[in-house]
Amino acid sequence: MITTDICIIGAGPVGLFAVFEAGLLKMRCHLIDALPQVGGQLSEIYPHKPIYDIPGYPSITAQELINNQMEQIDPFKPTFTLGERVDELQKQEDGSYIVIGSEGTLIHCQVVVIAGGLGCFEPRKPELENLTTYEGKNVHYMVKDPEKFRDQRIVIAGGGDSALDWTIFLSDIAKEVTLVHRSDSFRGAPDSAEKVFNLAQNGKINLLLSHNLQRLNGNGHLESVLMTNKSKEEVVINTDHFIPLYGLSPKLGPIADWGLNIDKNAIEVNTFDYSTNVERIYAIGDINTYPGKLKLILCGYHEAALMVQSAFKYVYPEQKLSFKYTTVNGINAF
């Protein structure tokens, strides 16, 4: 039996930041994640993807962010169970919980924090002829190693942030980049869209808007992508790799059976402290939902900071959360 103050389900960036905020309040954390390493989607799906909206970092790769966060929480000595899914929560008579993992791990905690990102997820795939023929060879639903595409011809499909960001990043690596989108406008950040338009105007990428993918062509090895434009005319782009980036399809898995209020595969929370409808269970990051919700790492950090303030009362029920500052060798401490 592992004993801790807070059990955090999910070891992505938001879960890791919750460890830091809890550590400042002298609360111990144990994290459990179904993935074999910390970092969540950032490490598993796009470790080399540049992130532009972290304060103090004009640009930082996803894995660098995780590495920095691990260094940040090291003084608080969190413990981890990786490669194991949480199957069940058992509430105890005193209000605490025993978290039960799929491999039999037992974690006794005062508070449960769900920071599982999108939960169990799989990439959304385009409906294309011969798609499965090239999966695992020349069709990629995520970019783990950008160097794989150096001096290669690639076609990226999608209109969200991932498609825009990878188009920008790979324009300096690949021999030829073509971005295909079925609409004439993007869903991603306006600044990223502007950069993509500038790259197209300067001849650094090919931009095909209002084009619909139809078929992949090749003889055991991908050779081209067939699509149609607004006039229903066929357009063929020769390529070495096809990267459809249509986002992820979330599945909550066992979380859906824990009595939580669920709305469209997301957990409803109170924005006062990001608590759920079940006492001592909180949800932070992409897995929660509330009016005005933005699925940004930065927003998840904010949610984690407020959550631990509320969780404190369950870990130290006889103490009031307050700080008394003293000066030690000219340095403020508490």
Side-chain angles (χ1 to χ4, degrees):
M1 179 77 73
I2 299 168
T3 302
T4 189
D5 296 325
I6 300 176
C7 179
I8 301 175
I9 302 172
V14 174
L16 295 179
F17 190 69
V19 173
F20 175 77
E21 290 293 321
L24 294 177
L25 301 182
K26 306 299 181 183
M27 293 187 289
R28 298 166 299 149
C29 293
H30 183 87
L31 299 91
I32 181 169
D33 199 302
L35 296 175
Q37 75 281 322
V38 300
Q41 297 171 45
L42 270 65
S43 296
E44 178 69 8
I45 300 178
Y46 37 71
H48 298 282
K49 181 179 182 294
I51 301 174
Y52 303 105
D53 58 355
I54 302 298
Y57 292 94
S59 176
I60 185 171
T61 68
Q63 191 58 53
E64 287 173 339
L65 177 61
I66 295 301
N67 293 343
N68 287 352
Q69 287 196 235
M70 287 295 289
E71 181 179 352
Q72 184 183 38
I73 66 175
D74 182 66
F76 303 117
K77 305 303 177 187
T79 50
F80 296 86
T81 296
L82 300 175
E84 187 170 355
R85 184 186 68 244
V86 173
D87 277 349
E88 187 180 351
L89 299 181
Q90 289 184 354
K91 192 165 187 176
Q92 306 301 294
E93 290 185 1
D94 63 354
S96 63
Y97 280 94
I98 292 179
V99 179
I100 303 175
S102 57
E103 302 298 322
T105 297
L106 302 176
I107 306 163
H108 182 235
C109 60
Q110 299 300 317
V111 172
V112 175
V113 176
I114 304 172
L118 295 176
C120 303
F121 52 84
E122 57 185 31
R124 293 189 175 98
K125 300 181 181 181
E127 296 182 3
L128 288 179
E129 297 180 30
N130 301 330
L131 182 67
T132 57
T133 302
Y134 304 101
E135 287 182 331
K137 302 175 185 177
N138 310 98
V139 174
H140 316 271
Y141 299 108
M142 58 192 73
V143 180
K144 286 192 173 183
D145 182 12
E147 285 299 315
K148 183 173 185 175
F149 306 104
R150 184 169 291 279
D151 300 325
Q152 299 284 298
R153 298 170 301 173
I154 63 175
V155 172
I156 298 175
D161 286 316
S162 289
L164 294 173
D165 290 346
W166 279 123
T167 297
I168 296 167
F169 188 84
L170 292 173
S171 66
D172 290 326
I173 293 177
K175 177 181 179 181
E176 180 179 282
V177 176
T178 300
L179 176 60
V180 181
H181 186 35
R182 62 188 177 185
S183 176
D184 58 2
S185 60
F186 293 110
R187 302 185 310 276
D191 181 69
S192 299
E194 182 180 359
K195 289 178 181 177
V196 165
F197 283 122
N198 288 338
L199 287 172
Q201 290 175 354
N202 293 329
K204 292 213 61 175
I205 67 166
N206 302 316
L207 180 59
L208 301 178
L209 299 178
S210 300
H211 281 62
N212 290 302
L213 299 166
Q214 300 295 334
R215 187 174 68 246
L216 304 181
N217 297 319
N219 185 15
H221 186 89
L222 181 63
E223 296 176 1
S224 64
V225 178
L226 172 67
M227 61 198 75
T228 54
N229 59 22
K230 271 186 176 181
S231 303
K232 305 299 182 181
E233 299 169 328
E234 291 189 346
V235 177
V236 177
I237 301 295
N238 295 326
T239 190
D240 302 305
H241 299 276
F242 175 54
I243 310 175
L245 298 174
Y246 293 149
L248 301 171
S249 178
K251 296 180 180 179
L252 289 178
I255 294 174
D257 301 322
W258 295 350
L260 304 169
N261 289 340
I262 306 294
D263 179 25
K264 297 178 182 178
N265 284 320
I267 302 170
E268 295 181 343
V269 293
N270 181 345
T271 53
F272 177 76
D273 57 3
Y274 301 95
S275 58
T276 69
N277 60 297
V278 179
E279 188 179 24
R280 299 193 186 216
I281 300 181
Y282 298 81
I284 57 177
D286 286 354
I287 204 163
N288 74 15
T289 185
Y290 51 85
K293 169 71 177 183
L294 289 176
K295 292 190 175 183
L296 300 174
I297 295 174
L298 189 63
C299 294
Y301 290 164
H302 159 80
E303 295 163 13
L306 293 186
M307 176 275 299
V308 298
Q309 302 288 317
S310 175
F312 184 87
K313 63 178 177 288
Y314 297 117
V315 177
Y316 298 110
E318 297 181 358
Q319 294 186 31
K320 184 178 180 181
L321 185 57
S322 62
F323 302 100
K324 294 182 179 179
Y325 290 88
T326 59
T327 301
V328 179
N329 296 327
I331 299 175
N332 289 333
F334 64 87

